[in-house]
Every structure is written in C-alpha cells, then in structure tokens.
Amino acid sequence: MSSTIQRIFIDEKLEPGLILKLSKEDSNYLANVLRLENGAKLKIFNEKYGEFLAEIVSSYHKACEIKILEKLKDTEKLLSIILGFAPIKHYRLCFLIEKATELGVTEFQPVITERTINRNVKIDKLFLTGKEASEQSGRIVTPKFHEQIKIEKFITSYKNHTILAAIESVDAKPFDFELDNDKVVLLVGPEGGFSEREKQLLLSQSNVKPVNLGPRILRAETAVCCLLSSINCKL
Ligand code: SAH
C-alpha cells in the first residue's frame, strides 16, 4: 500500500463496513483538489478509534461518501507535551503550529504576555492547521487548542509541573533536562520577548526552569522548533 495515500481526520465513529458522508471541505479537497475518483483508497483516523483504510464510493465534490474497509492502526499514546506560546503574527503562528504539531505537541496553550502583539487568537484556524499537519505527518492524535490565558494564569495552571521556559539572555542551562514521564510543559515568549517583570516572575517560581537555546536570539517560531527538537532527541 503506497505511503502517499491521503490521510483525513474524521471526528466520528470509525468501524469497518460503515459508509460515511464527508464534510463539504473534505469532499471538495478529495474530489476537486486531489481529483480522486470512485474506488480510490484513503486513510481516515481519529484519537478515539485509530486509523482505517477506506475507499471512495461516491466522489461528488459537495458530499463524498466513503466505505471503511479495515483497521490499520490502534490509536497512539503520545507523551503529553503542552506548549505555552505567546501568539505571534498570524502567518508565522501557522508555521509555529504546523512545525510544533509535526514535532509532537499534544496541547497548544496561547499565553498573553505584556509584549504579545496578536491578542485575538483565531483558535478554529489554528485547529485546522493542527489537523492538516497531523494528516500530513502521520499522527493519529490531533493536538488540542485551549483558549488564551495570561502568563500568570499559565504559571498557576502548571504549578505542580516543571515548566521549561525558553528565556533568552539569562544565565540558564542548555537543554539537558530529564523529562517527566507523563507531561512536559514548555513556554516560549512573543516576538518582543518576555518583559523584565515577566522574566523575574518566571525565575522566581520554583517549578520554572529557564532553558538556554544558544547564543543567538531566535524568532519565537524557531525557538519552538529548537526546544521541541531537543525533546524529540530525548524520547
Ligand atoms: N527579546 C528578543 C526577542 C525574543 S525572541 C529580542 O530582543 O529581540 C522570542 C522568544 O523566543 C523569546 O521570548 C524566548 O522565549 C525565545 N528565545 C529566542 N532566543 C532564545 C535563546 N537564545 N534562548 C532561549 N530562548 C530564546
């Protein structure tokens, strides 16, 4: 079976033999963009049921119908990685979400800081980015997105966990931390960085460990990739 078979996230009950009617968006993508015809195979998946092979039984651009053929994979148990991030400009934010999804983030938590520019996060658009990145990267569990909160609330929400905070220009160790088995909590700041007050607030918390990502100042989206790559190397 070709590994280039299209994967589609479908948030419904998945079981061999079922006939499902796809959403307008997914139908349009399969019928018009990929021009798949009746009999074409695809993979469908979600966290609850796992991944299945399916075939198109009706390729109509507004309402494709597919038949589920067989189960391919059970759902996956991922390390829980929560990424607290200060929302940056939208097009760079989509890049951040896409790369972080590929690198295993399971929950996105927008964090509003003093220098956050984008204070009106469009969660539905970010969810679509996470969905598409999960389809492309072979993930079965798509990332979850939380409503934005202030940095103080983020710190108290995870007071019982270690928060690995990427803070530039402070005396901090490069990434060599042992990971908690059940949950890794990360925090990256906005384009303008954490304010001095926020840095002191973070450094004053016993559960916050500052992380040094090297001698240069990275863009927030680069810092996210750098931090997550360090974690992926330890898995
Ligand atoms: N304050 C910087 C810009 C911040 S970069 C400036 O003066 O230009 C955006 C975010 O990426 C920072 O808040 C921090 O979370 C992270 N970051 C960037 N470079 C980093 C580094 N070398 N070490 C740790 N974190 C870094």
Side-chain angles (χ1 to χ4, degrees), residues 166-168 188-194 211-214 216-218 220 223:
I167 306 178
E168 75 283 6
V188 172
E191 294 95 332
F194 293 113
V211 179
N212 180 339
L213 298 177
R216 285 171 294 281
I217 298 294
L218 310 176

Side-chain angles (χ1 to χ4, degrees), residues 32-33 35 55 60 66 70 78 92 126 143 149 166 232 235:
N32 287 352
V33 176
R35 299 191 177 286
E55 72 175 352
Y60 174 53
I66 62 172
E70 61 179 289
L78 293 177
R92 286 189 181 277
L126 301 188
I149 55 177
N232 275 267
L235 295 182

Side-chain angles (χ1 to χ4, degrees), residues 112-116 151-152 155 167 190 193-204:
I112 303 303
T113 66
E114 288 171 27
R115 297 176 186 165
T116 295
I151 188 170
E152 291 80 3
I155 293 170
I167 306 178
F194 293 113
S195 68
E196 276 317 305
R197 181 190 71 84
E198 288 165 342
K199 280 183 186 175
Q200 293 317 311
L201 173 67
L202 287 166
L203 295 173
S204 67

